[in-house]
Every structure is written in C-alpha cells, then in structure tokens.
Amino acid sequence: MNQTLIRTARLIAMAGATAALTACVSVKMPAPAASAANVEKLRAAKAAPSQVGTFKLAAGKPADMDTTLGGLRGSSVQPTAGTFSAQLRDELSAELKAAGLLDAASPIVIEGELTDSRVDAAIGTGTGRLAARFVVKRGGQKVFDKELAAESSWESSFVGATAIPAAINQYGALYKSLIGKLLDDGEFRAAIKG
C-alpha cells in the first residue's frame, strides 16, 4: 500500500473519531424534583406556606438566555418548562410541595427573574453559572428582594461524549444549589417565616 493511501486512511479514521468525540446531542432537562437537603432547609426555617408567582427573564437580558444554552460543543439542552426561568420556578415549586409548603392561596408570594444562565464544557475545566433575582411579597408588599448566584467548575474531558453529559448534569445541579442558597439566606427565611 502506498504512502498516499495510508495517509488518506488515517485522515478518514481521524475524521470519524473526531465526529464520534464531538457528537451533537439535544437533551431535555429532567422534570423538577425536590432534594432532601432543600426540603430539610425549608422545614428547619419554620416557613409558612407560600405560593410561587411569576418567574421570567430579567429586563435587558438577551431573550435567548431563557431558551438556549451555549457552551456544549454544539449540543443543546431544553428546559422541561419551555424556558429556564420557568424551570427555576418549577424547581422551587417542587421543593415547597415536598415540604408541604406550597399553597396557591397563601398571601406569601415568591417571584423571580433569571439574570444569568450559562455553561461551558471546555476541555480541561468546565464552568457553569445560574443567577436570579428573587422577590417575596406578603399581602402584596415587598419584603425581600435580592439577586443570588450559584456557580460550579469541574474537570472536563477532551472526549465530547464524556464532557457534554457531565456539563449538562453540572448545569442541572445549579438549580438545586441556587434554591439552596436562597433557603440559606437569613433575610429570605425571615420573609417566609410562619
């Protein structure tokens, strides 16, 4: 076999391997579910039953931040609720429901605005960030208003088939982490106290 054929065969093999390593996928986020840690935090806070109001993209943010997640080497993630702000709303609702504290008739209303949503499955170190401004109203009066963020970094493989699912899992975990930060906030706990 001559050298040209050998080189051509190697190039074809490398192209195939590269395609396999960076295969594009489209994944739907898992349905919101409560975490034991956050349910315990709600119970420990002696929180009153609350309702979850409107969650939306913060003013001035690009519209695609609420529906598109870049940084996944050509792959994509879709929120189960249609938008990432609605995903955050549904995650919080799941936590409250599991703690027996979700009440659509409650005078305490928790609202939110998505201010950041990103992930990067970079080779070497992956990063993710989720941030939102939370507002609590009691009887129509604002008693809490604060922006909180959750961030993560992890070892990210060169192999796309390993790195992409890891990044998606890390991004999904940011929702639990952000809600956990909210539940740890002393001012928030005071705002929803029974």
Side-chain angles (χ1 to χ4, degrees), residues 38-194:
N38 284 342
V39 169
E40 186 54 40
K41 287 178 184 185
L42 277 164
R43 290 181 177 148
K46 300 192 180 347
S50 302
Q51 61 173 295
V52 178
T54 303
F55 273 64
K56 61 185 179 181
L57 183 65
K61 299 294 180 180
D64 65 349
M65 179 192 290
D66 209 13
T67 56
T68 306
L69 194 60
L72 291 171
R73 303 187 193 183
S75 295
S76 64
V77 175
Q78 288 83 41
T80 55
T83 63
F84 293 114
S85 55
Q87 183 82 23
L88 183 58
R89 176 200 65 213
D90 291 354
E91 294 279 358
L92 179 58
S93 296
E95 303 285 10
L96 288 166
K97 184 175 183 180
L101 296 171
L102 185 62
D103 180 359
S106 172
I108 302 171
V109 182
I110 305 168
E111 299 177 340
E113 292 184 346
L114 185 70
T115 57
D116 200 3
S117 171
R118 56 188 146 114
V119 69
D120 186 0
I123 295 169
T125 302
T127 58
R129 187 172 196 273
L130 184 69
R133 179 175 160 246
F134 294 96
V135 172
V136 176
K137 295 177 182 173
R138 280 185 95 114
Q141 183 154 359
K142 193 185 293 185
V143 293
F144 177 83
D145 185 343
K146 187 181 285 188
E147 183 177 2
L148 297 169
E151 298 182 25
S152 182
S153 64
W154 60 93
E155 190 175 322
S156 183
S157 175
F158 168 77
V159 180
T162 301
I164 294 166
I168 291 168
N169 288 337
Q170 289 284 342
Y171 176 77
L174 288 173
Y175 286 81
K176 300 287 183 226
S177 179
L178 182 57
I179 292 169
K181 284 191 169 200
L182 178 67
L183 301 179
D184 286 336
D185 187 283
E187 292 174 7
F188 175 78
R189 290 164 76 105
I192 62 167
K193 199 166 184 68

